[in-house]
Amino acid sequence: MPCSSASRSKGGVILLHGVGIDTLALPKVPGLTRLPHTRDALPQAAGLVAQGAQVAVHVPPADEPRYADGLRRAGVPCASVFVYCSPAQLAAQATGLPQAVELLREFGAKVTGTLERGAVRLGTLRRSDVQRAVAGVRRMAGPGAAGAALCEALEQELCAALGLDGHRAVFVTPRRPAHVALPVASFAKVTRAVAPYFASLGAPALA
């Protein structure tokens, strides 16, 4: 692992997690090297930062604490960034019925709804937004009792997970803490979005 002074030259490593980021295409960011989640990703990211590169690593939520701890022990600042898009966008971009169902369930597992204004908010989500997403799944499922039952269960599952079974609208917030939350459409601004956090750690901001 590189030493602290070298590894801090460009700000740090961005740890990416979110809904569908390994399935849906994220916009390319000039000057940012994105690494997939592999066994060698941690030392590779630290080494690239030591060489002056800006790096983002796709990290499963369960592995993020281990990645963050390893980078900090090596003197490499890191920031957690949650990337998301709406349920309707997830359903629309899915390549088929199984993926659409998987992505929507992943959405319910990684975000939740809150009425607290102090929470990290990704926007407002209404029951009608969930219904619009499930309508896209219903079109993929086609006619028939099996498809109808699947969609009804999916809508109930999502509304329960997001707190919409008792409210018409909620603020959406990540279930796991993140330093920055960005919609997929704004991912090109990720280095600017994390710059204040890195600056607060005393690391030079990402360019």
Side-chain angles (χ1 to χ4, degrees), residues 14 28 43 46-47 53 57 73 78 95 103 107 135-136 170 179:
I14 299 169
K28 290 186 177 181
V57 183
R73 282 190 282 107
C78 60
T95 57
L103 288 173
F107 185 88
V170 293
H179 298 115

Side-chain angles (χ1 to χ4, degrees), residues 5 13 27 35 66 90 102-103 107 126 132 140 149 172 176 188:
S5 60
V13 175
L35 301 177
R66 177 174 62 84
L90 289 171
E102 178 184 354
L103 288 173
F107 185 88
R126 298 172 177 79
R132 185 163 60 252
M140 296 180 196
V172 181
R176 290 184 68 92

Side-chain angles (χ1 to χ4, degrees), residues 3-191:
C3 65
S4 174
S5 60
S7 64
R8 295 169 71 89
S9 61
K10 274 292 190 177
V13 175
I14 299 169
L15 301 177
L16 293 176
H17 62 108
V19 182
I21 64 170
D22 293 321
T23 304
L24 306 177
L26 293 178
K28 290 186 177 181
V29 181
L32 180 67
T33 300
R34 291 205 337 243
L35 301 177
H37 178 247
T38 65
R39 179 178 299 178
D40 299 326
L42 184 62
Q44 187 179 359
L48 287 170
V49 170
Q51 297 169 27
Q54 301 175 15
V55 184
V57 183
H58 290 217
V59 182
D63 291 339
E64 186 178 315
R66 177 174 62 84
Y67 270 61
D69 182 62
L71 289 167
R72 289 176 187 131
R73 282 190 282 107
V76 184
C78 60
S80 172
V81 174
F82 184 85
V83 183
Y84 66 95
C85 60
S86 72
Q89 289 174 313
L90 289 171
Q93 294 182 53
T95 57
L97 178 61
Q99 187 181 81
V101 173
E102 178 184 354
L103 288 173
L104 289 177
R105 284 179 170 156
E106 183 183 355
F107 185 88
K110 291 186 176 179
V111 305
T112 189
T114 181
L115 300 179
E116 296 181 12
R117 295 187 175 274
V120 175
R121 292 182 288 176
L122 311 181
T124 301
L125 188 72
R126 298 172 177 79
R127 179 182 284 268
S128 59
D129 296 322
V130 172
Q131 291 170 337
R132 185 163 60 252
V134 173
V137 176
R138 186 173 286 109
R139 286 191 291 272
M140 296 180 196
L150 169 66
C151 292
E152 182 178 354
L154 181 60
E155 182 176 334
Q156 292 176 353
E157 178 183 335
L158 286 171
C159 286
L162 299 167
L164 287 168
D165 48 353
H167 303 281
R168 294 179 62 183
V170 293
F171 299 123
V172 181
T173 186
R175 290 184 183 271
R176 290 184 68 92
H179 298 115
V180 173
L182 284 175
V184 168
S186 298
F187 184 74
K189 302 175 183 178
V190 65
T191 54

